[in-house]
Amino acid sequence: MTDSDPDGEGTSPDANPGNESLETTVQALEARLDALSKQVSGLREELHEERSERQELEDELAERDERIDDLEAEVARLDARTDILEVVENADKMTGKQRAVTLVQHLHRAAKARERRDEPPAATVDRDEAEEALHYPNIDRTTIYRDMERAARLIDSDALRYTNGELRLDLDAGSVPRKYTADREGENL
């Protein structure tokens, strides 16, 4: 007896069109999987490169921020120096009140500089430092003490105190009226 197929199809699995279709589908899926795998690898490389570039930009930005901080500190130093030079030029014409205001301005700048560095906004001067701030070395030391007392009376606030030969400004304890600070352009009383 022979097996015969009425449709003319053999019984061999290779002759089954359903198996060919399945094999073709598997090959297509493998090809697609390979393509996707290569695409994922390429995207990983791009991601790595982008992260490296981002890190370089962040490092550059940090360097620029540091440079900006340095420049701001230098500008503040130069501003203070300019103010000091103005005081020196006018030292022989200064009244007691002007010297007191100059001391307040000096302390205010120092306290603000500390505040910018995230430190407590306070500053203190003793007689020697006050004399240096005034650039008035020929003045009598008792006059310096009187100027420091006058500055404390002038402000009359918890922010500025004169005790034991020291003048202390603490901006956390109070504020200084703007007319006694160097905040406004060109104002020096």
Side-chain angles (χ1 to χ4, degrees):
M1 278 193 32
T2 60
D3 283 334
S4 68
D5 191 7
D7 295 327
E9 291 181 353
T11 57
S12 103
D14 293 335
N16 186 351
N19 284 343
E20 286 180 22
S21 173
L22 185 60
E23 191 174 314
T24 305
T25 303
V26 168
Q27 289 174 349
L29 287 174
E30 285 177 346
R32 180 75 177 137
L33 185 60
D34 281 345
L36 289 174
S37 179
K38 289 178 184 175
Q39 189 176 11
V40 167
S41 293
L43 289 173
R44 281 188 179 140
E45 287 178 23
E46 281 183 42
L47 179 62
H48 179 72
E49 290 171 7
E50 291 293 327
R51 284 182 176 159
S52 294
E53 186 177 331
R54 178 181 176 191
Q55 185 61 46
E56 289 174 15
L57 291 172
E58 286 175 351
D59 292 346
E60 185 179 323
L61 184 60
E63 288 174 14
R64 286 186 180 176
D65 285 346
E66 186 176 319
R67 178 73 176 138
I68 287 170
D69 290 344
D70 291 346
L71 291 173
E72 286 175 346
E74 181 66 13
V75 166
R77 188 185 69 77
L78 291 174
D79 282 347
R81 192 171 181 187
T82 300
D83 291 344
I84 288 170
L85 290 175
E86 288 175 10
V87 170
V88 170
E89 287 176 3
N90 298 321
D92 57 343
K93 303 174 199 166
M94 287 179 75
T95 66
K97 182 178 179 180
Q98 288 172 323
R99 288 190 305 270
V101 170
T102 299
L103 288 173
V104 171
Q105 289 174 344
H106 172 77
L107 287 168
H108 190 260
R109 272 191 303 275
K112 286 295 190 177
R114 287 179 51 93
E115 185 176 51
R116 283 190 296 276
R117 293 189 307 261
D118 293 327
E119 297 175 11
T124 304
V125 293
D126 60 13
R127 184 190 62 84
D128 293 333
E129 293 164 336
E131 194 172 280
E132 185 179 319
L134 291 171
H135 287 276
Y136 216 97
N138 296 330
I139 196 167
D140 187 65
R141 72 182 193 140
T142 57
T143 303
I144 295 288
Y145 287 127
R146 279 195 306 266
D147 291 341
M148 292 166 67
E149 288 173 351
R150 184 180 290 117
R153 283 192 316 269
L154 190 65
I155 300 305
D156 192 28
S157 153
D158 289 338
L160 189 65
R161 293 284 178 214
Y162 175 73
T163 55
N164 299 326
E166 288 187 337
L167 187 61
R168 177 171 174 75
L169 176 66
D170 184 355
L171 295 178
D172 281 339
S175 62
V176 176
R178 272 183 76 95
K179 69 180 185 175
Y180 296 120
T181 67
D183 289 343
R184 291 193 287 192
E185 183 82 20
E187 181 172 331
N188 267 335
L189 296 178

